[in-house]
Amino acid sequence: QGRAALGDQNARMATARAASCFARSAPRAFARTRARPFRSHLGREKRWSASAMAPGAAEAVQQEQPKAVLLQDYRPYPYAVQKLALDFLLGEEKTVVNSKMHVAPSYEGTPPPMVLNGEACVKLATVAVDGKDLLEGEGYTLQDEKLTIENPPNGTFTVDISVEIEPQNNTELEGLYKSSGNFCSQCEAEGFRRITFYPDRPDVMTVFTTKIVADKEKYPILLSNGNLVEEGELEGGKHFAVWEDPFKKPCYLFALVAGNLVAKEETFITMNGKKVALRIWTQAHNADKTEHAMNSLIKAMKWDEERFGLEYDLDLFNIVAVDDFNMGAMENKSLNIFNSKYVLCTPETATDMDYERIEGVVGHEYFHNWTGNRVTLRNWFQLSLKEGLTVFRDQEFTSDLNSRSVKRIEDVSLLRSRQFAEDASPLAHPVRPESYIKMDNFYTLTVYEKGAELIRMYQTLLGRDGFRKGMDMYFKLYDGQAVTCDDFYAAMEEANDTSLGSFKLWYSQAGTPSVTALTEYQKDAGKYKIVLSQNLPKTQDSSKEKLPQLIPVAVGLVGPNGNDLPIKSVNNVPTTDDGTSPTTVVLKLTDWEQSFELDGITETPVPSILRGFSAPVKLFAEYSMDQLKFLFANDSDEFNRWEAGQRLSKMVILQSVSDGKIEEAGLKYIVEAFESVLDDATIDNKIKSLLLTFPDMDVLIDGFNATYPGGADPVRIHETVSALKKAVAMRLRSKFEGTYTSLVEEATKAGLASLDPPSISRRALQGTCLDYIGSTGDEEAMAMCWKAFKAAKNMTDQISALKACTSKSGPVCDEAFDSFYEQWKDNALVLLKWLLMQGASNLPGHTAEVKKLLSHPAFDMKNPNKVYSLLGGFSRSAVNFHNIDGSGYELLADCVIQCDGINAQVAARIVGPFTKWQLYDKTRQDLMHKQLERIAATPNISKNVYEMVSKSLKE
């Protein structure tokens, strides 16, 4: 989802003086608009050929290659925009935007030219400085998507600009566009330049006043940032609204919504007694699907007060759900705009995972009000300053409200399956990148998920109280400013009066570090010796020599009876000041290799290393199958307990892939381990479902490449996992069926689907058991799966049953897919699940079905959700996407090329699977490389796709 991919928050009150200034400027702006016809000075938006970077891409059109933006070239903007008044006249054919900037110098000496960003879709009408119209070629120039005022006055001055845009034709979904007949905006990262000419960069912060004029019947609701200060009727059936936001913000946080919407309203009282109006806006037919999102918002506001002492700063908080959105959500100050899939839900239409994601995304966007809005970014290279920090905050929010262990396992699973693969690809980049061509391409798992791991390491190293002190210092020093990752690092050090040494290297060095652990028990001395070493891989982004960085490694020792052993000291330094002995210690690895001696160990232990996944690294440690089975049964750290099962399964799978058959000895270990989980009534059912899950395909591919040279065969790995899963299911069939039956009986007694933790856990394990039953593929099993599908009363159970029914070709599979579609064909959000499962299907020959779905009424290449569901799902199909005949690669490349002409951001995301071509066997490498060259040779590809493809083809 990348999760991908995501946003920020909220707003406040304003001044009557700003409104009066704006009101005075608006009539003159409209008069100029009528007096002079619009012209497009920029011409066609620049598109690019990646041919120069693509060996073998013959006959590609040669064009100038786009230039990278470099961190080292950053310079502060020479002007301050003290305030900005915007006037929108929304229309069906054209929308007129008039802006008035109040500008002050930030330079020394002679006034430099004032450069404003724009794009070809913005048609310029007039430019005036201090009320005097400028002429093109004399007062200003337009070139390379920039409007430059050549000779600005000394001192303060005003700039009035009038432009015309066409939101209804904006398929890029950046800037101002229309979704389901409503106007909405998306300005992060550089979408504001598609609305008007402006210094579109995060370090230019100003106070916004926005007036919106529209047809009242079509667009009765007019929303923007801040507080509504004026509204009224106009001639011709139009009306207007004026919004003022008293907080300075960069233009990427600007938002506008106009449409026929209804709101669910609640009131939140802050910790200091202030009343905040909360409103979630949707189309009328979705009004009954926002209760969970509203409850999640209230929980998030309360949690942020309790955990970090952060109170909401305005009197109003709006959320708007839209169907067409490139990302998950956007934290615009006081007017969050959400992808509807992260707002709308009922138990009948959304799974338990959907509910958790909605809670997390609503929390994430709200938390941005402080970490992203009140303190923002100096430049886009610092993106992880707000996103990594806010992902960590939403992870902690979900952990505190639900199961911390489950959340940690889920987050690390995503990190290791997707972000580690990104680190191993030609697109590897540091958490703080040093260059980009198109900033949209850097809303990555590295910036978000790995960035969150860096924040978690601060807390691990400083303790929870120390981390809170650092956060308090951060807001004290930088509230209302645009700052850097280095500033956050400095606040943590200053608040805790400490040095974090080489920890800062995590921001600038790309790649996933490897940590190797060698252990020795010295019985006579009562010591346990651990030698840790780190290695950082070479990555394509930089030729600089990499240096060792601070890595916190949490370690525990499990005694023969399954209990943790107390650790008195590390390298003769007591582990606590009060004489107590903890059972988990954090070892600080700062050099390439270090030795640690843990004292007071009286029994031979099994080491539990990297507890809680204390650092985003690959751990290499020698464990026997017996030791892993022991940790799987006894480790008190639930993450490492799960990890022991993952390691055990991975060992068996990779050996089986190499041997071409499932070894009985390895199968026996897994069966015994899984049986003990099913029999253990003390384990939470959700944890059980995770313990019974095999490693993700990306993790297995990474493990295969670390063990065997020559690249991975994903089809062979999939077939091995399927065979192992079936073998386990056959051996434990009575256990799976018995557990499943008892869980169904519990659910029947409970009645309607509940969202309490026990019910969610029950459904998770119930689905896992049914999945194993379905994997046997026999007639009795498929009948059981079909019965479950027909009996499902909530979406969680229905999707679990659909997955089980469609794991094998045949009548049950066909009927389940058809029945699900017929039931939900009028619900676009539910059909996303159908598209996803169709795309991800590993049924042989399903590529042809995916190709047909591209013309199906349920699919639309202009809708990002539908593209991500069908094609994102397809790229996860080992059997079909990675078919050795190359048909899957060809189909995805066709879609990338088609989509790039509609929405470059979306096209760049779906090209992602090709960027990992080096992970696979030689035949598949050549096939994927060929498709990359084909995309590269396509005339006029976007900057977004150019950057992804050119880096992937770079030798």
Side-chain angles (χ1 to χ4, degrees), residues 747-764:
T748 301
K749 292 178 183 177
L752 295 176
S754 171
L755 293 171
D756 62 275
S759 297
I760 292 171
S761 294
R762 183 186 66 238
R763 286 191 289 272

Side-chain angles (χ1 to χ4, degrees), residues 584-765:
T584 299
V585 294
V586 177
L587 309 180
K588 298 177 183 178
L589 176 60
T590 58
D591 210 337
W592 290 120
E593 181 175 299
Q594 283 174 254
S595 180
F596 301 89
E597 287 189 345
L598 283 57
D599 197 15
I601 312 305
T602 59
E603 301 175 274
T604 304
V606 176
S608 174
I609 304 173
L610 207 68
R611 281 188 157 179
F613 201 68
S614 57
V617 302
K618 297 178 183 178
L619 174 65
F620 292 90
E622 289 294 330
Y623 284 105
S624 68
M625 285 191 175
D626 284 321
Q627 287 178 315
L628 292 174
K629 183 181 174 184
F630 175 80
L631 291 175
F632 188 68
N634 296 290
D635 202 327
S636 64
D637 184 276
E638 288 189 310
F639 174 84
N640 265 15
R641 184 177 190 176
W642 170 81
E643 172 69 356
Q646 295 289 290
R647 284 177 171 269
L648 179 62
S649 297
K650 186 166 71 171
M651 287 174 65
V652 175
I653 292 167
L654 295 183
Q655 188 62 53
S656 299
V657 171
S658 177
D659 295 345
K661 64 178 182 179
I662 305 295
E663 287 196 349
E664 179 61 31
L667 173 61
K668 186 172 182 290
Y669 271 101
I670 293 177
V671 168
E672 291 176 352
F674 282 16
E675 185 174 22
S676 68
V677 168
L678 288 167
D679 289 341
D680 191 341
T682 66
I683 305 176
D684 173 78
N685 283 335
K686 185 64 181 291
I687 293 289
K688 279 188 179 184
S689 72
L690 292 170
L691 293 174
L692 295 170
T693 302
F694 289 130
D696 185 90
M697 174 62 76
D698 290 310
V699 172
L700 293 172
I701 288 172
D702 179 69
F704 186 90
N705 287 328
T707 308
Y708 306 101
D713 178 345
V715 175
R716 188 171 179 179
I717 292 175
H718 168 77
E719 290 172 346
T720 302
V721 172
S722 297
L724 180 61
K725 184 177 180 180
K726 181 176 180 178
V728 171
M730 295 297 289
R731 299 284 180 96
L732 296 176
R733 183 157 185 166
S734 62
K735 293 283 186 181
F736 283 119
E737 289 184 353
T739 302
Y740 173 79
T741 300
S742 65
L743 292 169
V744 170
E745 290 173 354
E746 286 181 33
T748 301
K749 292 178 183 177
L752 295 176
S754 171
L755 293 171
D756 62 275
S759 297
I760 292 171
S761 294
R762 183 186 66 238
R763 286 191 289 272
L765 182 57

Side-chain angles (χ1 to χ4, degrees), residues 107-398:
Y107 57 85
E108 294 182 0
T110 305
M114 185 177 187
V115 180
L116 307 175
N117 305 103
E119 283 200 12
C121 59
V122 180
K123 299 176 183 179
L124 181 65
T126 60
V127 183
V129 172
D130 284 337
K132 296 179 181 179
D133 285 351
L134 303 183
L135 298 177
E136 184 179 6
E138 298 179 12
Y140 72 90
T141 60
L142 271 171
Q143 188 175 4
D144 296 330
E145 301 182 337
K146 293 182 175 66
L147 187 160
T148 303
I149 299 173
E150 298 292 349
N151 299 295
N154 278 305
T156 60
F157 59 95
T158 61
V159 178
D160 288 271
I161 297 175
S162 184
V163 303
E164 176 188 306
I165 56 177
E166 298 177 355
Q168 71 279 5
N169 297 325
N170 181 1
T171 62
E172 296 282 352
L173 311 185
E174 283 187 287
L176 187 65
Y177 64 96
K178 296 192 78 172
S179 174
S180 301
N182 299 318
F183 287 91
C184 60
S185 65
Q186 169 57 29
C187 293
E188 188 177 356
E190 297 174 334
F192 193 78
R193 64 188 62 187
R194 295 174 65 86
I195 294 176
T196 189
F197 291 95
Y198 188 78
D200 189 357
R201 43 189 289 169
D203 59 345
V204 176
M205 303 173 69
T206 193
V207 176
F208 280 67
T209 300
T210 303
K211 181 177 182 180
I212 309 167
V213 177
D215 183 283
K216 185 174 183 179
E217 183 178 358
K218 291 181 178 179
Y219 311 105
I221 303 300
L222 306 176
L223 305 172
S224 191
N225 309 94
N227 297 310
L228 179 64
V229 295
E230 187 181 359
E231 59 183 335
E233 307 286 329
L234 296 172
E235 294 180 357
K238 297 185 181 299
H239 69 143
F240 75 94
V242 179
W243 293 81
E244 291 183 350
D245 185 352
F247 288 95
K248 291 196 304 180
K249 65 174 180 284
C251 63
Y252 82 82
L253 290 172
F254 169 77
L256 181 154
V257 172
N260 192 353
L261 304 168
V262 297
K264 179 179 177 62
E265 300 189 45
E266 295 286 351
T267 299
F268 180 78
I269 300 177
T270 71
M271 59 186 181
N272 288 315
K274 183 175 67 175
K275 290 185 178 181
V276 180
L278 309 179
R279 296 175 187 146
I280 299 182
W281 298 88
T282 66
Q283 292 174 285
H285 66 274
N286 288 322
D288 62 334
K289 301 180 181 69
T290 59
E291 182 177 0
H292 178 66
M294 180 63 80
N295 291 339
S296 299
L297 174 59
I298 292 170
K299 289 176 183 177
M301 297 176 79
K302 185 173 178 59
W303 181 87
D304 216 16
E305 291 180 346
E306 294 174 349
R307 180 72 184 269
F308 290 105
L310 298 175
E311 183 181 29
Y312 186 60
D313 50 10
L314 289 170
D315 301 324
L316 174 65
F317 188 94
N318 284 313
I319 289 175
V320 180
V322 300
D323 292 335
D324 302 288
F325 203 74
N326 284 336
M327 299 184 181
M330 181 61 209
E331 69 269 23
N332 316 298
K333 186 75 178 177
S334 81
L335 179 54
N336 285 194
I337 300 179
F338 271 61
N339 188 320
S340 57
K341 69 182 291 187
Y342 296 112
V343 173
L344 308 178
C345 63
T346 65
E348 294 75 27
T349 61
T351 64
D352 294 334
M353 181 59 72
D354 293 330
Y355 271 81
E356 182 181 312
R357 286 172 179 163
I358 289 170
E359 182 180 79
V361 174
V362 168
H364 180 99
E365 305 311 318
Y366 173 75
F367 300 144
H368 265 312
N369 187 55
W370 281 92
T371 51
N373 295 6
R374 287 285 290 261
V375 183
T376 193
L377 316 175
R378 184 165 299 169
N379 51 59
W380 286 116
F381 300 100
Q382 316 297 330
L383 179 60
S384 194
L385 175 66
K386 76 180 183 78
E387 294 301 346
L389 176 54
T390 306
V391 168
F392 169 76
R393 276 156 49 73
D394 82 54
Q395 289 174 349
E396 287 292 283
F397 169 61
T398 301

Side-chain angles (χ1 to χ4, degrees), residues 413-478:
S413 295
L414 174 66
L415 183 84
R416 292 204 298 205
S417 66
R418 305 295 181 85
Q419 193 281 320
F420 280 16
E422 188 170 89
D423 261 350
S425 78
L427 271 70
H429 57 276
V431 169
R432 182 184 57 210
E434 296 187 355
S435 69
Y436 63 83
I437 292 174
K438 194 67 175 172
M439 187 57 216
D440 301 326
N441 289 338
F442 281 87
Y443 286 75
T444 62
L445 289 160
T446 298
V447 168
Y448 278 68
E449 305 300 326
K450 186 175 182 178
E453 293 299 313
L454 268 61
I455 303 300
R456 187 174 298 277
M457 286 192 286
Y458 280 112
Q459 181 168 277
T460 298
L461 292 164
L462 301 172
R464 184 160 164 161
D465 291 342
F467 181 75
R468 169 64 191 271
K469 287 166 58 179
M471 289 287 284
D472 291 345
M473 179 65 72
Y474 176 62
F475 295 123
K476 178 182 177 181
L477 294 174
Y478 303 119

